[in-house]
Amino acid sequence: MPDLFSKPSQRDLDTHSEPSRIDRDLKSHSCAICGKPASFGFGVKLMHGIDGRWSCFEHRDDVKRIKP
Ligand SMILES: [Zn+2]
């Protein structure tokens, strides 16, 4: 799929901290504190359909402290 890489895009400029490929495969989550895209999930039990609490990098400690 050469089209994806044929030209530098805004996306390339924005990936200062490159997200992992796993993040892109998962459905997107939002930080419970600020609403930004979240990469850290707590209490997630996919086998039981429990989505848990999600946070961005900055708020992962805050979200971790939240009692369910
Ligand atoms: Zn946040």
Side-chain angles (χ1 to χ4, degrees), residues 31-37 54-60 63:
C31 174
I33 306 292
C34 68
K36 285 200 287 191
W54 289 81
S55 76
C56 66
F57 178 81
E58 299 162 47
H59 295 118
R60 64 197 193 285
V63 171

Side-chain angles (χ1 to χ4, degrees), residues 11-25 37-40:
R11 177 181 301 185
D12 292 328
L13 298 175
D14 286 340
T15 52
H16 296 296
S17 59
E18 174 135 355
S20 71
R21 286 173 192 169
I22 293 176
D23 287 342
R24 297 180 192 178
D25 290 340
S39 308
F40 298 87

